């Protein structure tokens, strides 16, 4: 099963179907996206990669909004990601006490660049 997934991934990469996300370079981020990057580094980086694949404590956020679904299978929407951040999910702690509305808006803007 894993092998065939890698195979499909490889074929998509070879055919240029965008299977490998290309994050916007950090130097090209808007001020809002840069703020979101700081929010990510402060609150998420300890558990999630952003610009590479692989599991840290949680799944990589690389290309999170470019994929059709989140790792849980939920739709990859601002609403679902916001709810995950605010309320937590299984081993991910709720972060509503650390991330305010403006932080969250900026964070979503940054995650959309991945
Ligand atoms: C203490 C570690 C930790 C921190 C900090 C953390 N996460 Fe997570 N996160 C996890 C774990 C573990 C999961 C997997 C939860 C599960 O589905 O079982 C997860 C899952 C997720 C998911 C996928 C949800 C889904 O439906 O599949 C998203 C998106 C996410 N985190 C975003 C964030 C963002 C954005 C931040 C920063 C504001 C953050 N996380 C901070 C540990 C963390």
């Amino acid at each position: 099963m894993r092998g065939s997934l890698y195979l499909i991934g490889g074929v998509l990469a070879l055919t240029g179907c965008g299977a490998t996300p290309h994050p916007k370079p950090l130097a090209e981020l808007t001020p809002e996206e840069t703020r979101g990057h700081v929010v990510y580094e402060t609150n998420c980086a300890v558990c999630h990669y952003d610009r590479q694949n692989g599991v840290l404590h949680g799944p990589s956020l690389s290309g999170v909004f470019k994929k059709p679904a989140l790792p849980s299978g939920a739709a990859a929407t601002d609403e679902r990601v916001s709810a995950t951040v605010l309320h937590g999910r299984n081993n991910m702690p709720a972060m509503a006490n650390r991330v305010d509305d403006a932080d969250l808006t900026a964070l979503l803007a940054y995650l959309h660049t991945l």
Side-chain angles (χ1 to χ4, degrees), residues 43-44 46-48 57-59 61 64 70-72 74 81 84-85 89-93 95 99 107 111:
N43 297 288
C44 320
V46 66
C47 292
H48 294 280
H57 297 292
L61 300 177
V64 61
L70 297 174
S72 63
V81 172
T84 305
V85 171
R89 186 186 155 73
N90 298 327
N91 290 332
M92 176 170 158
M95 309 196 83
V99 177
L107 176 63
L111 295 178

Side-chain angles (χ1 to χ4, degrees), residues 18-64:
T20 307
H22 297 288
K24 189 170 169 183
L26 290 177
E28 293 175 17
L29 298 185
T30 66
E32 176 82 346
E33 291 161 357
T34 298
R35 176 176 175 170
H37 182 231
V38 173
V39 175
Y40 161 80
E41 289 288 344
T42 307
N43 297 288
C44 320
V46 66
C47 292
H48 294 280
Y49 290 125
D50 59 343
R51 311 179 83 82
Q52 69 180 76
N53 292 324
V55 174
L56 204 46
H57 297 292
S60 173
L61 300 177
S62 171
V64 61

